[in-house]
Amino acid sequence: MGAMANFRKSIIFSVLFFYSMLLVKTLSSSPPSSNLQILTAERRIDLTSHIVRVYLTLKVENTGEAPAAEVLLAFSPAQFDHLALVKAAAAVGKKKKKTYLPLEVNPSDHPDAPNGTKYYSISLLKPLGKAESITLEILYMLTHSLEPFPAEISQSESQLVYYHDSAVILSPYHIKQQASMVKTPTSKVESFTRVEPTDRSGTELRYGPYEDRHPYSYSPVIIHLENNNAFAVVEELEREIEISHWGSIQVTEHYKLAHAGARHRGIFSRVEYQSRPSISGVSSFKHLLAELPPRVHSVYYRDDIGNISSSRLRTNSKKSELLIEPRYPLFGGWKATFIIGYGVPLQDFLFESDGGSRYLNYTFGCPLSETVVDKLTIKVVLPEGSKNPSAKAPFTVEQSMETKYSYLDVIGRTVVVLEKKNVVPEHNVPFQVISVPNFIEWLMPF
């Protein structure tokens, strides 16, 4: 009997131990139970471009005893896959004296999140104490999130797209009061999902206000709207920035451009396109604006055939603008490849640090305005003999090294390669490449 009792005790102990370990694992891998709540939330969704920009204003309060060092942003799996950028800032002060302090934002992994929810974590400058509140200003951008419907249109038809989202804000926190505003390019909206209260006026669609929504509340909506803006997508862009010993930087950019909107159906009539520009090919685009650095020289624009003369360059002390026209207007599904090249003075972008090293300070991203770059590769070609190069960018990029041989090179030139996918105009910020020069470089002028 004693042996049987001990056996039963061991079985019970094993079962209790198993469930206790399972509970610990569940609690540690699931989204943390938060003592935060959102007092007010305002969301503004801008659909006036093919890049969706969402602005969030959140007033967050700590209702618990323990300080809170981070705030989580929740995204549906579909939106998370199309995120290009997430930025956050803390609002300090009131009205005209209000300032914004940038906050660090990083992806946060919670495998057991409900319905596959994905997260970004906003790190606060200082922990939020009990009963304290903070106002956060958030911007996130979505690419390839407007679905053309119909998927094919003729030359004379306008482009209609679907936008999918939720009428209420997806959040791991309880939201006491919230509202969402959707800005459309025109007042032509074919249909939209109603989640009362819903109101529409002109080019603005308003959802809410809604009160006391529980964590992870979700009310799917579909908006079918007209959007004839240029759906310009650079499928692949390779930028080569070559630093010369002799006072110049040569930049060469190879583009693979596509119109990512509704595919063109039927034949293309050049006569109709030129004689009726207001109704024929309204969703196409025939020119793009490239913003180049000031003091550019030796600018060229060509493709595999040769030089393309349909471009105009305007320069001033602050910037240079190159208006380019492909050889033909781009309709949905059409593509074009071309090269833009130019030179800039070395002293405008190459500097010497206090430690004796030199660094290049140049702009990341794509010069073409309001375009998405699916894959961007930047190659910085350093002078021969440069040592221990490294790159710094304000966001995550893939880095690698390679060697390039040019005229009269002996050991080859070190090339710093930076790669990033899903690039938007807001990525056009300075980055730095730092290198220790060799003895010969010290004798060379900037």
Side-chain angles (χ1 to χ4, degrees):
M1 292 291 292
M4 182 62 68
N6 290 335
F7 177 74
R8 289 176 178 174
K9 288 181 180 180
S10 64
I11 293 296
I12 294 173
F13 176 79
S14 299
V15 172
L16 291 175
F17 178 78
F18 172 77
Y19 279 105
S20 64
M21 292 301 294
L22 181 63
L23 178 61
V24 169
K25 181 179 179 181
T26 302
L27 291 176
S28 63
S29 59
S30 61
S33 58
S34 174
N35 293 318
L36 299 178
Q37 72 169 351
I38 299 176
L39 299 177
T40 59
E42 183 181 274
R43 179 176 56 169
R44 300 171 301 283
I45 304 172
D46 187 353
L47 303 181
T48 57
S49 168
H50 69 117
I51 303 171
V52 178
R53 292 174 171 88
V54 182
Y55 303 87
L56 269 176
T57 301
L58 305 177
K59 186 174 183 180
V60 185
E61 181 187 44
N62 186 2
T63 59
E65 299 290 336
E70 66 174 8
V71 176
L72 292 180
L73 292 177
F75 297 94
S76 66
Q79 280 198 340
F80 188 85
D81 292 339
H82 294 279
L83 276 174
L85 181 74
V86 182
K87 297 172 64 176
V92 180
K94 295 182 179 179
K95 295 183 179 180
K96 294 183 179 180
K97 296 183 178 180
K98 185 178 292 186
T99 58
Y100 299 93
L101 303 176
L103 301 176
E104 184 178 353
V105 183
N106 293 298
S108 183
D109 188 23
H110 298 280
D112 294 338
N115 301 319
T117 303
K118 305 293 184 179
Y119 301 91
Y120 269 79
S121 172
I122 302 175
S123 300
L124 304 179
L125 295 176
K126 65 176 183 178
L128 197 65
K130 178 182 178 181
E132 291 182 344
S133 62
I134 186 173
T135 300
L136 301 177
E137 297 288 348
I138 299 159
L139 164 67
Y140 64 88
M141 304 178 64
L142 304 168
T143 60
H144 301 288
S145 294
L146 297 179
E147 177 190 356
F149 186 83
E152 295 183 350
I153 58 174
S154 65
Q155 183 173 332
S156 59
E157 291 180 293
S158 292
Q159 179 175 260
L160 300 176
V161 297
Y162 275 142
Y163 176 67
H164 300 259
D165 210 322
S166 170
V168 297
I169 300 170
L170 179 64
S171 175
Y173 312 117
H174 178 269
I175 303 179
K176 297 194 71 175
Q177 188 177 45
Q178 63 174 299
S180 296
M181 281 72 70
V182 182
K183 178 72 172 177
T184 59
T186 68
S187 59
K188 184 177 179 180
V189 177
E190 296 290 305
S191 63
F192 60 92
T193 306
R194 288 187 174 272
V195 180
E196 297 299 339
T198 302
D199 182 56
R200 177 172 172 253
S201 176
T203 59
E204 186 173 283
L205 182 62
R206 181 182 178 89
Y207 286 98
Y210 305 112
E211 296 184 354
D212 291 323
R213 293 290 174 154
H214 298 292
Y216 301 104
S217 295
Y218 196 83
S219 299
V221 297
I222 300 176
I223 305 173
H224 195 201
L225 65 143
E226 180 185 58
N227 190 332
N228 287 316
N229 290 288
F231 276 45
V233 174
V234 179
E235 296 179 335
E236 190 172 346
L237 169 58
E238 180 178 304
R239 304 180 70 193
E240 183 181 86
I241 305 170
E242 184 171 356
I243 303 174
S244 169
H245 284 297
W246 309 105
S248 180
I249 295 177
Q250 184 63 39
V251 180
T252 308
E253 302 171 345
H254 297 260
Y255 290 86
K256 293 182 179 179
L257 178 68
H259 188 311
R263 295 187 301 275
H264 179 69
R265 184 183 69 241
I267 62 173
F268 168 63
S269 171
R270 173 72 72 172
V271 174
E272 181 182 349
Y273 184 79
Q274 292 181 335
S275 61
R276 306 172 65 190
S278 60
I279 60 174
S280 177
V282 291
S283 65
S284 67
F285 59 90
K286 60 181 179 180
H287 55 75
L288 291 170
L289 183 66
E291 295 187 3
L292 306 181
R295 303 213 297 165
V296 295
H297 61 83
S298 307
V299 180
Y300 63 87
Y301 167 49
R302 62 179 177 84
D303 58 10
D304 293 338
I305 299 174
N307 183 62
I308 305 175
S309 58
S310 56
S311 62
R312 295 188 295 274
L313 177 66
R314 296 189 296 266
T315 62
N316 56 43
S317 59
K318 295 183 179 180
K319 64 179 179 179
S320 303
E321 293 182 338
L322 178 65
L323 186 67
I324 63 172
E325 292 187 18
R327 293 188 181 275
Y328 45 85
L330 264 68
F331 286 79
W334 292 14
K335 301 182 180 184
T337 59
F338 55 88
I339 300 172
I340 296 176
Y342 55 90
V344 290
L346 189 62
Q347 64 266 29
D348 291 356
F349 301 96
L350 189 66
F351 306 94
E352 184 177 340
S353 67
D354 295 335
S357 60
R358 293 184 179 181
Y359 64 93
L360 174 76
N361 189 67
Y362 209 79
T363 302
F364 197 86
C366 175
L368 299 181
S369 61
E370 207 59 21
T371 58
V372 174
V373 182
D374 289 340
K375 181 183 179 182
L376 171 63
T377 303
I378 297 180
K379 296 184 177 182
V380 180
V381 183
L382 302 176
E384 190 175 29
S386 300
K387 300 176 181 178
N388 303 322
S390 61
K392 292 183 179 180
F395 35 74
T396 303
V397 295
E398 295 182 10
Q399 299 188 30
S400 61
M401 300 287 178
E402 60 185 42
T403 303
K404 176 182 179 179
Y405 289 88
S406 186
Y407 301 104
L408 303 179
D409 286 346
V410 178
I411 61 174
R413 303 187 184 190
T414 301
V415 181
V416 180
V417 182
L418 307 178
E419 293 185 353
K420 186 172 180 61
K421 296 180 179 180
N422 210 14
V423 176
V424 291
E426 279 70 9
H427 286 121
N428 293 2
V429 296
F431 75 101
Q432 296 78 38
V433 174
I434 306 168
S435 178
V436 178
N438 61 19
F439 176 74
I440 297 179
E441 285 183 76
W442 287 114
L443 305 179
M444 296 297 179
F446 278 113

